[in-house]
Amino acid sequence: TVLINIRVADNSAKKLSFEMHNIIGNRIQVQAEEIAPGHYRIQLEELTPGYYLLSIRVEGKSKSKVHTVLKR
């Protein structure tokens, strides 16, 4: 099983959204599972190898955090 584990330091963040795009910009459907308060898990098993961009957005804030993910 190939997973990304995410820990959000801001515990006041009530609603988060996760979006993943491949390197050419196509949106990839992902589901984030909350495994504990502030801890999330995303399964990558079905993605083909390559680079992806994971965007984490907090509801009500204008900024989002983008991370580069390499699936081998």
Side-chain angles (χ1 to χ4, degrees):
T1 303
V2 181
L3 302 167
I4 294 178
N5 289 305
I6 302 163
R7 188 181 122 252
V8 179
D10 183 5
N11 288 335
S12 67
K14 301 220 183 305
K15 179 141 171 85
L16 297 175
S17 63
F18 298 89
E19 285 187 8
M20 187 167 280
H21 294 83
N22 63 15
I23 201 67
I24 61 171
N26 296 328
R27 187 167 186 220
I28 307 296
Q29 197 71 16
V30 294
Q31 292 292 327
E33 172 189 4
E34 187 171 15
I35 54 176
H39 294 268
Y40 298 86
R41 179 184 303 160
I42 296 176
Q43 299 254 358
L44 300 180
E45 202 164 286
E46 299 194 13
L47 296 180
T48 57
Y51 284 96
Y52 295 89
L53 300 174
L54 175 64
S55 173
I56 303 170
R57 188 176 308 249
V58 177
E59 184 180 292
K61 298 204 177 184
S62 59
K63 291 185 180 180
S64 65
K65 187 82 169 175
V66 177
H67 300 277
T68 303
V69 176
L70 171 61
K71 183 187 185 241
R72 294 181 183 211

